[in-house]
Amino acid sequence: MEDTRAFDEIWGKGGPQAPRPEFAALAAWIDQTPREELQRRTEAAENTFRQLGITFAVYGDHDASERIIPFDIVPRVFLADEWARLSQGLIQRVEAINAFLDDIYGERRILAEGVLPAELVLGNAQFRHEVVGIRPPHGVFAHICGIDLVRTGPDEFYVLEDNARTPSGVSYMLENREAMIRLCPELFRSFRVAAVDSYPDRLHETMRSVAPEGSGMRPVCVVLTPGHFNSAYYEHSFLADSMGIELVEPADLLVDDDVVWMQTIAGRVKVDVIYRRIDDDYLDPLVFRADSMLGVPGLMAAYRAGNVTLINAPGNGIADDKAIYSYMPEIVRFYSGGEARLPNVETWRCREPQALKYVLERLPELVVKLVDGSGGYGMLVGPTASKAEIETFRAALIAEPHRYIAQPTLALSTVPTMTEAGLAPRHVDFRPFVLTGREGVQVVPGGLTRVALREGSLVVNSSQGGGTKDSFVLMPDARQQMQAMGSMLQRQELGS
């Protein structure tokens, strides 16, 4: 059964017959568009994605190259005032993440003042001792962040996790919008929706802005991909093409005298900025994993010399660690001087004896995660887990408590979604994309909404069967417009 406690962002608590007043027009569109037509449009979008090759891979799955992320035609909508509040919180958080990374790889003031346990940072597998003392050009570490948010009520938003390494999914944000404009043009005629198609230009400008000093007026920027077998290869090629820059593989680059060169048919071209989609471990076999076939030998020497900018900076993984996440309110307070505008989900650090005792006593009620886990793996959702799964996690917690955190099972908000049985509420999360360049931080007015397609499921990850929706951010006067149009449609329906 669907969790009746969940807040639906369109229908509220009243259901389809009594939607939230702010979304009367959208609810009327959902109600008045035949279900068969909504399904037809959904299938048309997915066919287009398949033709374009917008696929993803689940490693170990022999059908990985053929899979697309399911798309849902009913959009998720943010009102202008909601978005303004979210943007303020996102900017504050990303500024704090950059300050934190700059500090722990430099002076370490936050450790000296005892805000975080030093061993939690310096002994963390995600802390890269190899980059200590390296300050990237213009002091920006996390140029691209994807901050995962969840919602539990009209005004209750929480940060679920931070993604400051290589956040993915922006191509789905852009392609979902293209599909909606083509298949549901009436929505864009009716509502003032902020555009997201400027993202590639914003990203390219961000890259150029953080080029090393002396790069000239037209710094050379590239996207570095591990190759077409990578699960996110479509996104790599899509972004390079959208920005009008080269997509390169490691074999296309070489380092000579601490300078990175791209080998072309016309000869060598000096590279100033690399948006790398290769994990730290495989980036440079001379510094990280010696057996890496995906790295560029000498790349870290060029980076240390200040001759190339790497986006995002090596070592950012420490900011994604879920144990570090549990300290983000303190981290934000330390660097900003104020309280976090976007709160964390309540978190118990299982490395602490009292927290471990609490978690072990309540495993069937909680969500338990690996501190370095991702993609929905290494996670226990207590209320939907079997007794055997709970006992397996209990043993793992007792054996290695430092590897886990636990959180309450939130009643994530829902959005009406097409299912085989018709429209029904399904749980969602949200990943907005935040860019940081030389001139500061900007939030793209949109993002990736992921939806758990299975009834009652809270797991939205594509690798676990989740889908996506377009995310509308309404312009400032659109709330009144949507309410007025909803009232008009309701009057027309009553008069017919």
Side-chain angles (χ1 to χ4, degrees):
M1 295 289 292
E2 181 66 38
D3 185 354
T4 56
R5 297 174 302 154
F7 164 75
D8 192 272
E9 299 185 11
I10 308 300
W11 293 337
K13 293 283 189 179
Q17 306 309 314
R20 298 174 69 200
E22 300 94 329
F23 296 103
L26 181 60
W29 175 82
I30 294 171
D31 182 60
Q32 295 173 17
T33 305
R35 300 294 174 262
E36 297 77 12
E37 177 61 15
L38 291 175
Q39 187 61 45
R40 185 195 68 78
R41 296 184 191 187
T42 298
E43 292 172 357
E46 292 185 346
N47 287 336
T48 299
F49 295 162
R50 190 173 286 106
Q51 291 166 6
L52 290 172
I54 309 176
T55 60
F56 75 101
V58 179
Y59 296 116
D61 183 343
H62 69 280
D63 292 327
S65 62
E66 300 300 321
R67 295 179 62 177
I68 64 168
I69 298 180
F71 172 73
D72 188 73
I73 202 72
V74 179
R76 196 247 194 101
V77 182
F78 293 94
L79 300 171
D81 52 351
E82 291 175 343
W83 188 253
R85 294 195 302 273
L86 286 177
S87 294
Q88 292 173 354
L90 290 166
I91 290 170
Q92 180 197 48
R93 193 170 183 103
V94 169
E95 287 177 341
I97 287 172
N98 269 297
F100 170 68
L101 291 166
D102 190 30
D103 187 19
I104 63 169
Y105 287 114
E107 296 180 2
R108 300 179 183 168
R109 291 185 301 113
I110 198 167
L111 303 185
E113 297 189 26
V115 178
L116 272 73
E119 70 275 9
L120 184 64
V121 175
L122 304 180
N124 196 302
Q126 297 300 320
F127 182 80
R128 299 296 185 182
H129 296 272
E130 300 89 343
V131 301
V132 170
I134 302 178
R135 195 165 193 266
H138 313 291
V140 181
F141 284 76
H143 311 82
I144 308 165
C145 285
I147 308 296
D148 288 350
L149 303 175
V150 294
R151 185 178 193 175
T152 59
D155 299 308
E156 289 79 46
F157 290 89
Y158 299 90
V159 176
L160 189 62
E161 61 182 56
D162 302 292
N163 295 282
R165 280 178 286 190
T166 52
S168 62
V170 74
S171 61
Y172 289 98
M173 174 187 78
L174 297 169
E175 293 289 11
N176 286 353
R177 176 59 53 84
E178 285 291 323
M180 289 296 290
I181 290 172
R182 186 177 71 256
L183 295 168
C184 302
E186 68 273 20
L187 289 177
F188 297 89
R189 290 193 295 266
S190 299
F191 312 129
R192 296 187 64 226
V193 180
V196 296
D197 57 2
S198 65
Y199 179 84
D201 291 337
R202 294 183 188 218
L203 176 57
H204 195 192
E205 181 53 40
T206 297
M207 293 175 70
R208 290 195 296 255
S209 78
V210 293
E213 297 290 352
S215 297
M217 295 295 293
R218 298 179 63 86
V220 174
C221 305
V222 301
V223 176
L224 175 61
T225 177
H228 65 278
F229 290 111
N230 184 266
S231 63
Y233 180 75
Y234 172 81
E235 180 158 294
H236 307 166
S237 59
F238 174 90
L239 288 173
D241 184 61
S242 299
M243 289 187 284
I245 64 177
E246 294 293 331
L247 177 69
V248 299
E249 297 188 18
D252 299 319
L253 302 180
L254 65 87
V255 179
D256 186 8
D257 196 23
D258 293 347
V259 174
V260 182
W261 300 89
M262 174 172 54
Q263 302 180 95
T264 74
I265 57 174
R268 290 183 177 184
V269 175
K270 182 176 177 292
V271 174
D272 302 298
V273 183
I274 300 174
Y275 176 16
R276 51 97 180 198
R277 298 296 295 258
I278 295 176
D279 292 342
D280 289 358
D281 280 341
Y282 303 97
L283 197 55
D284 183 344
L286 301 182
V287 175
F288 300 115
R289 285 186 56 157
D291 61 346
S292 172
M293 303 297 291
L294 300 175
V296 180
L299 182 59
M300 289 302 298
Y303 178 61
R304 182 176 288 276
N307 294 328
V308 69
T309 299
L310 298 178
I311 295 177
N312 282 330
N316 279 16
I318 186 68
D320 292 359
D321 182 87
K322 293 177 178 62
I324 297 296
Y325 157 92
S326 70
Y327 283 96
M328 277 304 296
E330 292 87 345
I331 291 171
V332 170
R333 188 181 308 117
F334 183 80
Y335 295 110
S336 74
E339 296 302 312
R341 293 188 175 96
L342 284 174
N344 273 16
V345 176
E346 184 179 12
T347 302
W348 293 277
R349 296 181 283 263
C350 297
R351 66 196 300 270
E352 299 172 359
Q354 284 302 113
L356 176 63
K357 180 176 181 293
Y358 179 92
V359 170
L360 289 174
E361 290 173 351
R362 294 167 176 81
L363 268 184
E365 307 166 16
L366 303 175
V367 175
V368 184
K369 303 176 183 178
L370 281 166
V371 295
D372 56 352
S374 63
Y377 294 103
M379 181 170 74
L380 174 79
V381 181
T384 61
S386 67
K387 289 184 178 180
E389 290 170 331
I390 289 172
E391 292 312 309
T392 297
F393 256 80
R394 185 184 305 279
L397 278 166
I398 293 170
E400 297 181 297
H402 63 283
R403 297 190 63 203
Y404 296 91
I405 57 98
Q407 295 171 330
T409 306
L410 298 180
L412 303 188
S413 64
T414 60
V415 175
T417 301
M418 285 297 299
T419 72
E420 292 183 0
L423 280 167
R426 291 292 184 264
H427 296 291
V428 294
D429 80 348
F430 183 58
R431 176 176 293 180
F433 295 94
V434 186
L435 299 175
T436 305
R438 184 189 303 192
E439 303 303 321
V441 185
Q442 58 179 315
V443 183
V444 181
L448 178 66
T449 287
R450 300 184 298 181
V451 53
L453 296 175
R454 291 193 294 271
E455 183 178 3
S457 174
L458 298 173
V459 182
V460 299
N461 306 80
S462 57
S463 56
Q464 305 289 306
T468 66
K469 289 174 172 286
D470 193 7
S471 308
F472 286 10
V473 173
L474 299 186
M475 304 291 274
D477 63 348
R479 176 197 291 261
Q480 292 80 9
Q481 181 186 24
M482 184 171 277
Q483 286 179 283
M485 289 193 62
S487 298
M488 179 185 70
L489 289 167
Q490 287 172 344
R491 286 196 300 270
Q492 289 175 351
E493 186 176 343
L494 288 171
S496 61

